Amino acid sequence: DSGVTQTPKHLITATGQRVTLRCSPRSGDLSVYWYQQSLDQGLQFLIHYYNGEERAKGNILERFSAQQFPDLHSELNLSSLELGDSALYFCASSSGGKDYGYTFGSGTRLTVV
Amino acid sequence: GQNIDQPTEMTATEGAIVQINCTYQTSGFNGLFWYQQHAGEAPTFLSYNVLDGLEEKGRFSSFLSRSKGYSYLLLKELQMKDSASYLCAVSLGGRAAGNKLTFGGGTRVLVKP
């Protein structure tokens, strides 16, 4: 157990629908990062939150949004889902220390049918 | 933009040595990370280099040359369980970047008996 909790582990939904993915960071970590990994693709950075504030945005679609709550958990909202949104979505947390990068959650596998 | 290149796939024999190269061209540099990722699982931290030279950690070593924008991960005494993808990632650093990691596409290593 990495200490980063993601729910749900698997999600199957239809095109056009909206889903919410949840992430609880490791205790004490203020930063949460969201990444998308499509089949046989690298990790694509979506968005970073630090202590409730958005810090950086990557190639995140307008249909996607995220937030980080006062208790530091984060949610990634995906709407108007398309088949191409099927992917593994990882959340990672960091204390902000430079030396050890991130700790990743086990991911949410989203399948859009 | 940011560019991180690594080979797509490598094959090696159990007990042998494999070297995975990574070259990068990024707008900033605050360290280079290597992660291991088994299929469908979360990436796990292997190593971190911020200064030039070799970092050794058991069977795994990582090398960095900042002037050449080059790193490699060396896996010795390969075991079947080392079959996985290996991800090179650069931390761009700076407050704006929020310690964001930019990942290469990953190198899939297949260890054969």
mmCIF file of all heavy atoms in Angstrom, chain A residues 33 35 37 40 42-43 45 48 55-56 88 90 94 97-102 104-106 109, chain B residues 30 33 35 37 40-43 45 48 87 95-105 108:
data_model
loop_
_atom_site.group_PDB
_atom_site.id
_atom_site.type_symbol
_atom_site.label_atom_id
_atom_site.label_comp_id
_atom_site.label_asym_id
_atom_site.label_seq_id
_atom_site.Cartn_x
_atom_site.Cartn_y
_atom_site.Cartn_z
ATOM 1 N N TYR A 33 -1.227 15.224 -8.045
ATOM 2 C CA TYR A 33 -1.068 15.292 -9.498
ATOM 3 C C TYR A 33 -1.978 14.244 -10.120
ATOM 4 O O TYR A 33 -2.092 13.133 -9.605
ATOM 5 C CB TYR A 33 0.375 14.985 -9.898
ATOM 6 C CG TYR A 33 1.434 15.853 -9.257
ATOM 7 C CD1 TYR A 33 1.873 15.594 -7.963
ATOM 8 C CD2 TYR A 33 2.011 16.920 -9.943
ATOM 9 C CE1 TYR A 33 2.854 16.381 -7.375
ATOM 10 C CE2 TYR A 33 2.996 17.703 -9.356
ATOM 11 C CZ TYR A 33 3.409 17.425 -8.068
ATOM 12 O OH TYR A 33 4.375 18.203 -7.488
ATOM 13 N N TYR A 35 -2.598 12.078 -13.723
ATOM 14 C CA TYR A 35 -2.024 11.653 -14.988
ATOM 15 C C TYR A 35 -2.984 10.705 -15.690
ATOM 16 O O TYR A 35 -3.710 9.945 -15.055
ATOM 17 C CB TYR A 35 -0.693 10.921 -14.767
ATOM 18 C CG TYR A 35 0.482 11.826 -14.503
ATOM 19 C CD1 TYR A 35 0.693 12.352 -13.234
ATOM 20 C CD2 TYR A 35 1.380 12.153 -15.511
ATOM 21 C CE1 TYR A 35 1.773 13.192 -12.985
ATOM 22 C CE2 TYR A 35 2.463 12.991 -15.273
ATOM 23 C CZ TYR A 35 2.647 13.509 -14.007
ATOM 24 O OH TYR A 35 3.711 14.336 -13.761
ATOM 25 N N GLN A 37 -3.020 7.628 -18.605
ATOM 26 C CA GLN A 37 -2.186 6.680 -19.358
ATOM 27 C C GLN A 37 -3.086 5.828 -20.232
ATOM 28 O O GLN A 37 -3.770 4.932 -19.748
ATOM 29 C CB GLN A 37 -1.360 5.810 -18.413
ATOM 30 C CG GLN A 37 -0.333 4.945 -19.138
ATOM 31 C CD GLN A 37 0.555 4.182 -18.164
ATOM 32 O OE1 GLN A 37 0.092 3.675 -17.153
ATOM 33 N NE2 GLN A 37 1.843 4.113 -18.466
ATOM 34 N N ASP A 40 -0.690 1.411 -23.837
ATOM 35 C CA ASP A 40 0.655 1.434 -24.416
ATOM 36 C C ASP A 40 1.184 2.852 -24.621
ATOM 37 O O ASP A 40 2.034 3.072 -25.481
ATOM 38 C CB ASP A 40 0.690 0.675 -25.750
ATOM 39 C CG ASP A 40 0.495 -0.812 -25.547
ATOM 40 O OD1 ASP A 40 0.790 -1.299 -24.431
ATOM 41 O OD2 ASP A 40 0.032 -1.485 -26.469
ATOM 42 N N GLY A 42 2.602 6.613 -22.736
ATOM 43 C CA GLY A 42 3.250 7.141 -21.546
ATOM 44 C C GLY A 42 2.272 7.875 -20.664
ATOM 45 O O GLY A 42 1.098 8.038 -20.994
ATOM 46 N N LEU A 43 2.747 8.325 -19.539
ATOM 47 C CA LEU A 43 1.931 9.079 -18.598
ATOM 48 C C LEU A 43 1.814 10.528 -19.067
ATOM 49 O O LEU A 43 2.824 11.218 -19.233
ATOM 50 C CB LEU A 43 2.560 9.034 -17.206
ATOM 51 C CG LEU A 43 2.429 7.705 -16.480
ATOM 52 C CD1 LEU A 43 3.468 7.596 -15.379
ATOM 53 C CD2 LEU A 43 1.038 7.560 -15.887
ATOM 54 N N PHE A 45 0.549 14.225 -18.218
ATOM 55 C CA PHE A 45 0.194 15.083 -17.094
ATOM 56 C C PHE A 45 -1.104 15.833 -17.377
ATOM 57 O O PHE A 45 -1.279 16.412 -18.452
ATOM 58 C CB PHE A 45 1.328 16.081 -16.843
ATOM 59 C CG PHE A 45 1.009 17.156 -15.860
ATOM 60 C CD1 PHE A 45 0.883 16.867 -14.509
ATOM 61 C CD2 PHE A 45 0.846 18.468 -16.276
ATOM 62 C CE1 PHE A 45 0.602 17.861 -13.596
ATOM 63 C CE2 PHE A 45 0.566 19.469 -15.370
ATOM 64 C CZ PHE A 45 0.439 19.166 -14.030
ATOM 65 N N HIS A 48 -2.151 19.678 -11.574
ATOM 66 C CA HIS A 48 -1.496 19.617 -10.275
ATOM 67 C C HIS A 48 -2.177 20.585 -9.308
ATOM 68 O O HIS A 48 -2.412 21.740 -9.652
ATOM 69 C CB HIS A 48 -0.014 19.987 -10.425
ATOM 70 C CG HIS A 48 0.707 20.250 -9.138
ATOM 71 N ND1 HIS A 48 1.697 21.203 -9.015
ATOM 72 C CD2 HIS A 48 0.591 19.676 -7.907
ATOM 73 C CE1 HIS A 48 2.162 21.208 -7.773
ATOM 74 N NE2 HIS A 48 1.504 20.291 -7.089
ATOM 75 N N ARG A 55 -1.993 24.488 -9.446
ATOM 76 C CA ARG A 55 -0.628 24.990 -9.649
ATOM 77 C C ARG A 55 -0.177 24.885 -11.103
ATOM 78 O O ARG A 55 0.581 25.707 -11.590
ATOM 79 C CB ARG A 55 0.364 24.212 -8.789
ATOM 80 C CG ARG A 55 0.528 24.720 -7.391
ATOM 81 C CD ARG A 55 1.254 26.051 -7.348
ATOM 82 N NE ARG A 55 1.317 26.608 -6.018
ATOM 83 C CZ ARG A 55 2.284 26.355 -5.164
ATOM 84 N NH1 ARG A 55 3.264 25.541 -5.480
ATOM 85 N NH2 ARG A 55 2.279 26.919 -3.975
ATOM 86 N N ALA A 56 -0.561 23.835 -11.761
ATOM 87 C CA ALA A 56 -0.121 23.653 -13.146
ATOM 88 C C ALA A 56 -1.140 22.822 -13.896
ATOM 89 O O ALA A 56 -1.805 21.964 -13.319
ATOM 90 C CB ALA A 56 1.248 22.987 -13.206
ATOM 91 N N LEU A 88 -6.102 4.460 -18.082
ATOM 92 C CA LEU A 88 -5.800 4.398 -16.655
ATOM 93 C C LEU A 88 -5.560 5.824 -16.183
ATOM 94 O O LEU A 88 -4.789 6.563 -16.806
ATOM 95 C CB LEU A 88 -4.533 3.576 -16.405
ATOM 96 C CG LEU A 88 -4.662 2.117 -16.025
ATOM 97 C CD1 LEU A 88 -3.307 1.440 -16.044
ATOM 98 C CD2 LEU A 88 -5.318 1.972 -14.661
ATOM 99 N N PHE A 90 -4.119 7.931 -13.105
ATOM 100 C CA PHE A 90 -3.341 7.837 -11.881
ATOM 101 C C PHE A 90 -3.339 9.172 -11.156
ATOM 102 O O PHE A 90 -3.239 10.242 -11.757
ATOM 103 C CB PHE A 90 -1.891 7.455 -12.184
ATOM 104 C CG PHE A 90 -1.690 6.028 -12.582
ATOM 105 C CD1 PHE A 90 -1.443 5.689 -13.895
ATOM 106 C CD2 PHE A 90 -1.738 5.023 -11.632
ATOM 107 C CE1 PHE A 90 -1.253 4.369 -14.276
ATOM 108 C CE2 PHE A 90 -1.549 3.702 -11.987
ATOM 109 C CZ PHE A 90 -1.304 3.368 -13.316
ATOM 110 N N SER A 94 2.818 14.171 -3.432
ATOM 111 C CA SER A 94 4.195 14.526 -3.132
ATOM 112 C C SER A 94 4.212 15.468 -1.940
ATOM 113 O O SER A 94 3.311 16.297 -1.778
ATOM 114 C CB SER A 94 4.818 15.198 -4.356
ATOM 115 O OG SER A 94 6.015 15.854 -4.029
ATOM 116 N N GLY A 97 9.134 17.726 -1.442
ATOM 117 C CA GLY A 97 10.568 17.511 -1.413
ATOM 118 C C GLY A 97 11.044 17.051 -2.770
ATOM 119 O O GLY A 97 10.353 16.298 -3.452
ATOM 120 N N LYS A 98 12.217 17.485 -3.154
ATOM 121 C CA LYS A 98 12.644 17.230 -4.531
ATOM 122 C C LYS A 98 13.155 15.810 -4.751
ATOM 123 O O LYS A 98 13.184 15.338 -5.862
ATOM 124 C CB LYS A 98 13.753 18.225 -4.888
ATOM 125 C CG LYS A 98 13.259 19.658 -5.035
ATOM 126 C CD LYS A 98 14.377 20.574 -5.449
ATOM 127 C CE LYS A 98 15.232 20.952 -4.265
ATOM 128 N NZ LYS A 98 16.219 22.004 -4.621
ATOM 129 N N ASP A 99 13.551 15.164 -3.693
ATOM 130 C CA ASP A 99 14.364 13.971 -3.889
ATOM 131 C C ASP A 99 13.625 12.716 -4.336
ATOM 132 O O ASP A 99 14.223 11.858 -4.957
ATOM 133 C CB ASP A 99 15.115 13.644 -2.596
ATOM 134 C CG ASP A 99 16.141 14.703 -2.276
ATOM 135 O OD1 ASP A 99 16.255 15.653 -3.060
ATOM 136 O OD2 ASP A 99 16.798 14.578 -1.243
ATOM 137 N N TYR A 100 12.380 12.584 -3.999
ATOM 138 C CA TYR A 100 11.750 11.295 -4.229
ATOM 139 C C TYR A 100 10.538 11.343 -5.132
ATOM 140 O O TYR A 100 9.796 10.388 -5.212
ATOM 141 C CB TYR A 100 11.421 10.631 -2.891
ATOM 142 C CG TYR A 100 12.675 10.310 -2.118
ATOM 143 C CD1 TYR A 100 13.098 11.128 -1.092
ATOM 144 C CD2 TYR A 100 13.456 9.225 -2.481
ATOM 145 C CE1 TYR A 100 14.269 10.859 -0.425
ATOM 146 C CE2 TYR A 100 14.629 8.950 -1.806
ATOM 147 C CZ TYR A 100 15.031 9.773 -0.783
ATOM 148 O OH TYR A 100 16.193 9.500 -0.121
ATOM 149 N N GLY A 101 10.346 12.440 -5.817
ATOM 150 C CA GLY A 101 9.287 12.474 -6.807
ATOM 151 C C GLY A 101 7.937 12.207 -6.190
ATOM 152 O O GLY A 101 7.590 12.761 -5.157
ATOM 153 N N TYR A 102 7.216 11.334 -6.841
ATOM 154 C CA TYR A 102 5.846 11.092 -6.454
ATOM 155 C C TYR A 102 5.671 9.718 -5.860
ATOM 156 O O TYR A 102 6.432 8.802 -6.126
ATOM 157 C CB TYR A 102 4.933 11.094 -7.682
ATOM 158 C CG TYR A 102 4.924 12.298 -8.552
ATOM 159 C CD1 TYR A 102 4.422 12.185 -9.840
ATOM 160 C CD2 TYR A 102 5.354 13.540 -8.131
ATOM 161 C CE1 TYR A 102 4.360 13.269 -10.671
ATOM 162 C CE2 TYR A 102 5.300 14.638 -8.970
ATOM 163 C CZ TYR A 102 4.800 14.487 -10.239
ATOM 164 O OH TYR A 102 4.735 15.562 -11.085
ATOM 165 N N PHE A 104 2.580 7.084 -6.302
ATOM 166 C CA PHE A 104 1.387 6.898 -7.121
ATOM 167 C C PHE A 104 0.348 6.044 -6.423
ATOM 168 O O PHE A 104 0.682 5.119 -5.680
ATOM 169 C CB PHE A 104 1.745 6.207 -8.442
ATOM 170 C CG PHE A 104 2.363 7.112 -9.460
ATOM 171 C CD1 PHE A 104 3.726 7.330 -9.462
ATOM 172 C CD2 PHE A 104 1.588 7.744 -10.413
ATOM 173 C CE1 PHE A 104 4.309 8.167 -10.396
ATOM 174 C CE2 PHE A 104 2.156 8.584 -11.358
ATOM 175 C CZ PHE A 104 3.523 8.798 -11.352
ATOM 176 N N GLY A 105 -0.906 6.361 -6.688
ATOM 177 C CA GLY A 105 -1.990 5.471 -6.321
ATOM 178 C C GLY A 105 -2.074 4.332 -7.321
ATOM 179 O O GLY A 105 -1.357 4.326 -8.329
ATOM 180 N N SER A 106 -2.954 3.378 -7.049
ATOM 181 C CA SER A 106 -3.045 2.187 -7.899
ATOM 182 C C SER A 106 -3.835 2.433 -9.168
ATOM 183 O O SER A 106 -3.891 1.575 -10.037
ATOM 184 C CB SER A 106 -3.669 1.034 -7.117
ATOM 185 O OG SER A 106 -4.932 1.421 -6.623
ATOM 186 N N ARG A 109 -9.095 2.400 -13.629
ATOM 187 C CA ARG A 109 -9.202 2.017 -15.043
ATOM 188 C C ARG A 109 -10.591 2.399 -15.531
ATOM 189 O O ARG A 109 -11.583 1.836 -15.076
ATOM 190 C CB ARG A 109 -8.959 0.527 -15.233
ATOM 191 C CG ARG A 109 -9.027 0.117 -16.704
ATOM 192 C CD ARG A 109 -8.648 -1.338 -16.915
ATOM 193 N NE ARG A 109 -7.244 -1.603 -16.654
ATOM 194 C CZ ARG A 109 -6.254 -1.305 -17.481
ATOM 195 N NH1 ARG A 109 -6.510 -0.713 -18.642
ATOM 196 N NH2 ARG A 109 -5.016 -1.590 -17.177
ATOM 197 N N ASN B 30 15.336 19.862 -12.755
ATOM 198 C CA ASN B 30 15.477 19.828 -11.306
ATOM 199 C C ASN B 30 15.639 18.388 -10.838
ATOM 200 O O ASN B 30 15.312 18.066 -9.707
ATOM 201 C CB ASN B 30 14.256 20.476 -10.661
ATOM 202 C CG ASN B 30 14.533 20.923 -9.239
ATOM 203 O OD1 ASN B 30 15.644 21.341 -8.919
ATOM 204 N ND2 ASN B 30 13.535 20.820 -8.389
ATOM 205 N N PHE B 33 14.228 11.151 -12.742
ATOM 206 C CA PHE B 33 13.722 10.003 -12.002
ATOM 207 C C PHE B 33 13.569 8.816 -12.930
ATOM 208 O O PHE B 33 13.289 8.964 -14.119
ATOM 209 C CB PHE B 33 12.340 10.319 -11.413
ATOM 210 C CG PHE B 33 12.349 11.398 -10.365
ATOM 211 C CD1 PHE B 33 12.363 12.731 -10.724
ATOM 212 C CD2 PHE B 33 12.315 11.068 -9.020
ATOM 213 C CE1 PHE B 33 12.362 13.727 -9.768
ATOM 214 C CE2 PHE B 33 12.306 12.057 -8.053
ATOM 215 C CZ PHE B 33 12.334 13.395 -8.426
ATOM 216 N N TYR B 35 11.275 5.229 -12.909
ATOM 217 C CA TYR B 35 10.205 4.471 -12.284
ATOM 218 C C TYR B 35 10.066 3.133 -12.993
ATOM 219 O O TYR B 35 10.316 3.026 -14.187
ATOM 220 C CB TYR B 35 8.866 5.213 -12.389
ATOM 221 C CG TYR B 35 8.690 6.343 -11.410
ATOM 222 C CD1 TYR B 35 9.238 7.594 -11.654
ATOM 223 C CD2 TYR B 35 7.970 6.161 -10.230
ATOM 224 C CE1 TYR B 35 9.078 8.630 -10.754
ATOM 225 C CE2 TYR B 35 7.804 7.196 -9.327
ATOM 226 C CZ TYR B 35 8.362 8.427 -9.603
ATOM 227 O OH TYR B 35 8.201 9.455 -8.702
ATOM 228 N N GLN B 37 7.208 0.183 -13.883
ATOM 229 C CA GLN B 37 5.763 -0.008 -13.934
ATOM 230 C C GLN B 37 5.436 -1.373 -14.531
ATOM 231 O O GLN B 37 5.708 -1.612 -15.709
ATOM 232 C CB GLN B 37 5.079 1.089 -14.745
ATOM 233 C CG GLN B 37 3.560 0.997 -14.706
ATOM 234 C CD GLN B 37 2.868 2.078 -15.515
ATOM 235 O OE1 GLN B 37 3.424 2.620 -16.467
ATOM 236 N NE2 GLN B 37 1.642 2.407 -15.122
ATOM 237 N N GLY B 40 -0.499 -2.577 -15.989
ATOM 238 C CA GLY B 40 -1.743 -2.322 -15.268
ATOM 239 C C GLY B 40 -1.565 -1.872 -13.833
ATOM 240 O O GLY B 40 -2.557 -1.724 -13.113
ATOM 241 N N GLU B 41 -0.315 -1.675 -13.431
ATOM 242 C CA GLU B 41 -0.073 -1.279 -12.041
ATOM 243 C C GLU B 41 0.491 0.140 -11.973
ATOM 244 O O GLU B 41 0.809 0.751 -12.991
ATOM 245 C CB GLU B 41 0.893 -2.261 -11.379
ATOM 246 C CG GLU B 41 0.345 -3.667 -11.287
ATOM 247 C CD GLU B 41 1.296 -4.620 -10.572
ATOM 248 O OE1 GLU B 41 2.294 -4.153 -9.991
ATOM 249 O OE2 GLU B 41 1.012 -5.829 -10.605
ATOM 250 N N ALA B 42 0.618 0.638 -10.748
ATOM 251 C CA ALA B 42 1.152 1.978 -10.554
ATOM 252 C C ALA B 42 2.669 1.995 -10.739
ATOM 253 O O ALA B 42 3.350 1.017 -10.413
ATOM 254 C CB ALA B 42 0.812 2.476 -9.150
ATOM 255 N N PRO B 43 3.206 3.082 -11.247
ATOM 256 C CA PRO B 43 4.670 3.225 -11.283
ATOM 257 C C PRO B 43 5.233 3.264 -9.866
ATOM 258 O O PRO B 43 4.617 3.842 -8.959
ATOM 259 C CB PRO B 43 4.870 4.571 -11.983
ATOM 260 C CG PRO B 43 3.601 4.843 -12.701
ATOM 261 C CD PRO B 43 2.525 4.228 -11.859
ATOM 262 N N PHE B 45 8.867 4.121 -7.618
ATOM 263 C CA PHE B 45 10.120 4.864 -7.671
ATOM 264 C C PHE B 45 11.322 3.922 -7.650
ATOM 265 O O PHE B 45 11.379 2.993 -6.843
ATOM 266 C CB PHE B 45 10.180 5.811 -6.477
ATOM 267 C CG PHE B 45 11.516 6.464 -6.254
ATOM 268 C CD1 PHE B 45 11.881 7.573 -6.999
ATOM 269 C CD2 PHE B 45 12.396 5.966 -5.312
ATOM 270 C CE1 PHE B 45 13.114 8.178 -6.788
ATOM 271 C CE2 PHE B 45 13.626 6.560 -5.098
ATOM 272 C CZ PHE B 45 13.981 7.674 -5.830
ATOM 273 N N TYR B 48 16.744 8.505 -8.349
ATOM 274 C CA TYR B 48 16.708 9.951 -8.560
ATOM 275 C C TYR B 48 18.143 10.440 -8.742
ATOM 276 O O TYR B 48 19.016 10.109 -7.931
ATOM 277 C CB TYR B 48 16.062 10.634 -7.356
ATOM 278 C CG TYR B 48 16.199 12.134 -7.317
ATOM 279 C CD1 TYR B 48 15.484 12.932 -8.195
ATOM 280 C CD2 TYR B 48 17.025 12.764 -6.376
ATOM 281 C CE1 TYR B 48 15.582 14.312 -8.143
ATOM 282 C CE2 TYR B 48 17.134 14.151 -6.324
ATOM 283 C CZ TYR B 48 16.402 14.911 -7.205
ATOM 284 O OH TYR B 48 16.502 16.281 -7.156
ATOM 285 N N LEU B 87 10.228 3.889 -16.823
ATOM 286 C CA LEU B 87 9.862 5.245 -17.212
ATOM 287 C C LEU B 87 10.918 6.233 -16.754
ATOM 288 O O LEU B 87 11.284 6.251 -15.573
ATOM 289 C CB LEU B 87 8.516 5.636 -16.590
ATOM 290 C CG LEU B 87 7.370 4.642 -16.705
ATOM 291 C CD1 LEU B 87 6.133 5.166 -15.981
ATOM 292 C CD2 LEU B 87 7.044 4.369 -18.157
ATOM 293 N N ARG B 95 8.619 27.071 -9.077
ATOM 294 C CA ARG B 95 7.318 27.152 -8.422
ATOM 295 C C ARG B 95 6.199 26.971 -9.439
ATOM 296 O O ARG B 95 5.201 26.322 -9.201
ATOM 297 C CB ARG B 95 7.170 28.496 -7.716
ATOM 298 C CG ARG B 95 5.925 28.563 -6.835
ATOM 299 C CD ARG B 95 5.845 29.875 -6.087
ATOM 300 N NE ARG B 95 4.781 29.865 -5.105
ATOM 301 C CZ ARG B 95 3.507 30.102 -5.402
ATOM 302 N NH1 ARG B 95 3.160 30.380 -6.624
ATOM 303 N NH2 ARG B 95 2.578 30.063 -4.460
ATOM 304 N N ALA B 96 6.367 27.580 -10.611
ATOM 305 C CA ALA B 96 5.317 27.497 -11.617
ATOM 306 C C ALA B 96 5.105 26.058 -12.071
ATOM 307 O O ALA B 96 3.989 25.628 -12.295
ATOM 308 C CB ALA B 96 5.660 28.379 -12.817
ATOM 309 N N ALA B 97 6.209 25.341 -12.215
ATOM 310 C CA ALA B 97 6.095 23.957 -12.654
ATOM 311 C C ALA B 97 5.598 23.067 -11.534
ATOM 312 O O ALA B 97 5.139 21.961 -11.797
ATOM 313 C CB ALA B 97 7.428 23.460 -13.180
ATOM 314 N N GLY B 98 5.725 23.546 -10.297
ATOM 315 C CA GLY B 98 5.198 22.782 -9.177
ATOM 316 C C GLY B 98 5.802 21.414 -9.025
ATOM 317 O O GLY B 98 5.122 20.467 -8.635
ATOM 318 N N ASN B 99 7.089 21.313 -9.371
ATOM 319 C CA ASN B 99 7.763 20.025 -9.262
ATOM 320 C C ASN B 99 7.095 18.966 -10.135
ATOM 321 O O ASN B 99 7.129 17.776 -9.826
ATOM 322 C CB ASN B 99 7.805 19.564 -7.805
ATOM 323 C CG ASN B 99 8.969 18.637 -7.535
ATOM 324 O OD1 ASN B 99 10.011 18.769 -8.136
ATOM 325 N ND2 ASN B 99 8.766 17.672 -6.666
ATOM 326 N N LYS B 100 6.483 19.394 -11.209
ATOM 327 C CA LYS B 100 5.815 18.472 -12.121
ATOM 328 C C LYS B 100 6.843 17.562 -12.771
ATOM 329 O O LYS B 100 7.918 17.992 -13.149
ATOM 330 C CB LYS B 100 5.100 19.288 -13.197
ATOM 331 C CG LYS B 100 4.342 18.459 -14.207
ATOM 332 C CD LYS B 100 3.736 19.346 -15.275
ATOM 333 C CE LYS B 100 4.740 19.764 -16.304
ATOM 334 N NZ LYS B 100 4.128 20.511 -17.421
ATOM 335 N N LEU B 101 6.489 16.302 -12.905
ATOM 336 C CA LEU B 101 7.325 15.343 -13.620
ATOM 337 C C LEU B 101 6.787 15.168 -15.026
ATOM 338 O O LEU B 101 5.595 14.946 -15.213
ATOM 339 C CB LEU B 101 7.344 13.990 -12.910
ATOM 340 C CG LEU B 101 8.052 13.911 -11.557
ATOM 341 C CD1 LEU B 101 8.086 12.473 -11.070
ATOM 342 C CD2 LEU B 101 9.456 14.468 -11.651
ATOM 343 N N THR B 102 7.689 15.261 -15.999
ATOM 344 C CA THR B 102 7.345 14.978 -17.385
ATOM 345 C C THR B 102 7.969 13.639 -17.730
ATOM 346 O O THR B 102 9.179 13.447 -17.574
ATOM 347 C CB THR B 102 7.870 16.079 -18.313
ATOM 348 O OG1 THR B 102 7.259 17.314 -17.938
ATOM 349 C CG2 THR B 102 7.527 15.775 -19.760
ATOM 350 N N PHE B 103 7.144 12.713 -18.214
ATOM 351 C CA PHE B 103 7.572 11.334 -18.450
ATOM 352 C C PHE B 103 7.884 11.079 -19.919
ATOM 353 O O PHE B 103 7.228 11.613 -20.818
ATOM 354 C CB PHE B 103 6.470 10.365 -18.018
ATOM 355 C CG PHE B 103 6.347 10.224 -16.526
ATOM 356 C CD1 PHE B 103 5.602 11.131 -15.784
ATOM 357 C CD2 PHE B 103 6.968 9.174 -15.858
ATOM 358 C CE1 PHE B 103 5.485 11.006 -14.406
ATOM 359 C CE2 PHE B 103 6.853 9.039 -14.480
ATOM 360 C CZ PHE B 103 6.117 9.959 -13.749
ATOM 361 N N GLY B 104 8.861 10.220 -20.136
ATOM 362 C CA GLY B 104 9.065 9.656 -21.450
ATOM 363 C C GLY B 104 8.021 8.573 -21.691
ATOM 364 O O GLY B 104 7.228 8.241 -20.809
ATOM 365 N N GLY B 105 8.054 8.007 -22.884
ATOM 366 C CA GLY B 105 7.049 7.018 -23.255
ATOM 367 C C GLY B 105 7.218 5.663 -22.583
ATOM 368 O O GLY B 105 6.327 4.823 -22.660
ATOM 369 N N ARG B 108 9.702 -0.879 -22.550
ATOM 370 C CA ARG B 108 9.224 -2.180 -22.090
ATOM 371 C C ARG B 108 10.381 -3.163 -22.153
ATOM 372 O O ARG B 108 10.959 -3.386 -23.221
ATOM 373 C CB ARG B 108 8.075 -2.658 -22.964
ATOM 374 C CG ARG B 108 7.355 -3.875 -22.411
ATOM 375 C CD ARG B 108 6.232 -4.299 -23.317
ATOM 376 N NE ARG B 108 5.326 -3.186 -23.608
ATOM 377 C CZ ARG B 108 4.360 -3.243 -24.509
ATOM 378 N NH1 ARG B 108 4.162 -4.337 -25.205
ATOM 379 N NH2 ARG B 108 3.573 -2.220 -24.720
#
